[in-house]
Every structure is written in C-alpha cells, then in structure tokens.
Amino acid sequence: SKATVSVLYWITMVFNNRHSPTALIVVMTVLLGVNCLLSIAAVSSSNKRERHEVEEEKVVPPLKPADLKNTPFCWKLWNASVPTVAKIDGHPFLQGLINGKLPLTSFQFYIRQDSLYLQEYARGLALLAIRAPPEYNATLQLLQFAMSSLVVESGNHERWMTEWGDQEVLKYGKSRNNVAYTSFLLDTAANRPWEEGLAAFTPCFWIYLHVGKNLLEQRRSQGPSPVKYFDEWIMEYSGDGFSDSVNKMLAIVEKAAQNASPVIQQRMVDAYVTASKMEWMFWNSAYDVKSGHSEFWPI
C-alpha cells in the first residue's frame, strides 16, 4: 500500500542519518519481505514454468557493447562514455593488477575506500528501490543489488582487510574523491528524476564488468597475477554472477529510458558520463598513493 511504502521510506531516511550498514540490512530485509507479500500473486506460477525461466536465464550471454541490438539506449550510454572507458582501460592502476606491479599499498588504499563507498552505494540503491515506479517492477531487484553490495562485495573486502590487520575501516575516513562520488550518487538518487538516478548508478556495474572481462582476457594469455589479492579481484568482477547482475541492471535502465522524455534521457546520459569519470578518478586517486600523493584532506 502507499502507506506502507511511505513508512518504509521514512525508516530509510532515518537510517541514512545513522550511517549503520547493519541497520540498512534490517531495512532492506523488511522491504524485501513487504515486496514479496505484495507480489505473491505475481510469483505463484507453476514450478515447471519457474524452472524453465531459470534455465533460460543461465544461458543468456554477458551483455557487451556489441550485443546491444535490443537495448539502443544503453548503447547510447556506452558510446557517450567511450573516451572515459578508454582512459580507464589503460590506467596503470588496472594494468598493475594483471602484471603485479601495482604497489600493495595502492590496492589497500583502494579497497578501504571502496568498502566505505559500497556502504553509500547500497544506501543509494535502496533509495532508488523505494522510488521505483510500480510499472517497472524494479524494487525487489534494486534491493537485491543493494544487499549484494553489502554482503558479497563488502564481504570480500573485509576478508582481505582482516588479512592486512585492518579491524575497522571507518577509522580511515573517506577520501576527497570518495566524498565527491558518493555525494553525487546519493543526491541523484534522492533528488533527481528516478531515471537519472538509475543511470548514475549504472557505470559501477557496467564498467566494472568491462574492466573485469578485459583483465580476465589478459590473465588467460599472461597467466594469473603474481599477487593473490589482485587475481581474486579480477575473478570477482569477471564472473558469471556479476555479469548476470549487470544484464539485469541494464534491462531496468533500458525500460526506464524507453518510457522517458527526451529531456530525461539526456539527463540520464549526463549522469552516466559523470559517474564514469568519477570511476576513473577513484582508481586514479588510489594509484596516486604510489607517488606519495595524499588523497586525504590537506587540513
């Protein structure tokens, strides 16, 4: 009901002020439960049909730029970001993952910052889920993405940081680029048209898959990275599970764009390009640690 959605919205607003990942998981669990109750009639199809749909989903190939025949707007997004993606592909931080030449201190800085980033990213996805128009049937999927950001991606980060002796990532605080990126995402998710917010959150899916696949191809020809953490990172973002998530996100974006006005579509493009540039900045700031440059606040 509208009353239920309103209550859940304000719960999430309170959570955003408390900065508690545990609280977010609780909120999203409630949202998932409510969504399932409201949608029970829609998911009461026969077991045979469900098994058939799952089998079909498994054989869907990863969605790459060349495969976007049925998603013309996503193709437009990708084309708009090509100059930025080209710079990302050649960035020494990412190339250093495959050849092992990236200093571990740079990678550790990146992982710590990414852990802080993922908490805000999950908050933003939860906001988009609450704001999703009912006709898109995107609420549950966006909440699942948010949960995955906290449980799966952050879980891997925490495992690595534990090995490094990091007990509490919050002690590091967000870097300047981290603050800029997450502030942009949260502002867009909360205050801009829903479609624009959706586009802003897409590069973190799609560019990471692109980078993961590219590094995986190099891995096959050059062999695994000599640093185990680098190799594990490559495998995480090139896997079929992550590819499946990207496909689902792009399907939501495409549907949203097809029903949007030309003005909103252009805002989606602008938001996507801006977020793509911030992805480059995020990796670049971690690489700068190698040269002794500090990404933390000068005062």
Side-chain angles (χ1 to χ4, degrees):
S1 67
K2 292 183 178 178
T4 301
V5 172
S6 178
V7 170
L8 293 172
Y9 174 81
W10 287 110
I11 290 174
T12 304
M13 291 299 98
V14 171
F15 157 77
N16 284 338
N17 291 329
R18 291 182 179 178
H19 304 285
S20 171
T22 301
L24 178 58
I25 293 177
V26 173
V27 170
M28 290 193 295
T29 301
V30 173
L31 286 168
L32 286 167
V34 172
N35 189 81
C36 289
L37 289 174
L38 295 175
S39 307
I40 192 168
V43 299
S44 60
S45 56
S46 67
N47 289 337
K48 179 178 178 181
R49 180 181 175 185
E50 289 177 357
R51 287 195 300 270
H52 178 65
E53 289 177 347
V54 170
E55 289 171 358
E56 287 185 339
E57 188 174 279
K58 287 181 179 178
V59 299
V60 174
L63 190 56
K64 301 177 183 178
D67 299 329
L68 299 182
K69 297 176 182 178
N70 298 319
T71 50
F73 186 79
C74 286
W75 177 239
K76 183 176 182 179
L77 291 179
W78 185 265
N79 275 338
S81 68
V82 163
T84 301
V85 173
K87 291 182 180 296
I88 289 173
D89 284 341
H91 198 286
F93 179 93
L94 297 171
Q95 292 303 309
L97 294 178
I98 196 66
N99 60 29
K101 294 181 179 180
L102 180 71
L104 184 59
T105 52
S106 291
F107 186 73
Q108 289 172 327
F109 177 90
Y110 160 75
I111 290 298
R112 290 163 184 153
Q113 289 301 312
D114 201 39
S115 294
L116 296 170
Y117 165 89
L118 287 171
Q119 294 179 20
E120 306 299 336
Y121 190 75
R123 289 186 176 99
L125 285 171
L127 285 171
L128 289 175
I130 293 171
R131 295 185 61 203
E135 61 268 24
Y136 292 102
N137 195 31
T139 297
L140 180 59
Q141 186 61 73
L142 290 170
L143 286 172
Q144 289 174 339
F145 289 153
M147 187 73 78
S148 178
S149 296
L150 287 176
V151 176
V152 180
E153 292 187 77
S154 290
N156 289 334
H157 289 20
E158 289 174 8
R159 175 171 56 83
W160 294 332
M161 288 188 294
T162 297
E163 294 184 19
W164 302 332
D166 289 347
Q167 301 301 320
E168 182 52 67
V169 68
L170 292 177
K171 70 180 181 182
Y172 294 102
K174 293 195 196 80
S175 67
R176 289 171 288 177
N177 272 321
N178 201 343
V179 170
Y181 195 1
T182 55
S183 296
F184 165 73
L185 290 175
L186 291 174
D187 175 66
T188 308
N191 302 316
R192 308 290 179 170
W194 180 73
E195 299 86 350
E196 183 179 352
L198 200 64
F201 279 71
T202 304
C204 191
F205 280 85
W206 204 356
I207 290 178
Y208 264 67
L209 177 64
H210 171 78
V211 166
K213 293 290 188 183
N214 277 353
L215 293 180
L216 181 63
E217 287 300 314
Q218 295 180 55
R219 183 184 185 275
R220 287 170 177 164
S221 60
Q222 301 177 28
S225 172
V227 181
K228 76 164 188 171
Y229 304 115
F230 302 174
D231 204 51
E232 289 174 0
W233 188 94
I234 293 169
M235 300 308 294
E236 177 180 353
Y237 291 106
S238 61
D240 292 339
F242 188 61
S243 294
D244 183 59
S245 294
V246 174
N247 292 340
K248 290 176 179 176
M249 182 65 169
L250 292 181
I252 296 172
V253 172
E254 187 66 32
K255 185 175 181 180
Q258 294 307 322
N259 294 317
S261 68
V263 172
I264 295 298
Q265 286 185 352
Q266 185 56 51
R267 293 182 70 161
M268 292 175 74
V269 172
D270 293 342
Y272 182 91
V273 170
T274 297
S276 298
K277 292 177 179 179
M278 288 186 168
E279 289 290 347
W280 181 91
M281 291 174 64
F282 205 91
W283 279 310
N284 189 65
S285 68
Y287 186 73
D288 277 349
V289 173
K290 167 182 177 292
S291 304
H293 296 130
S294 175
E295 239 300 295
F296 291 106
W297 306 92
I299 57 173

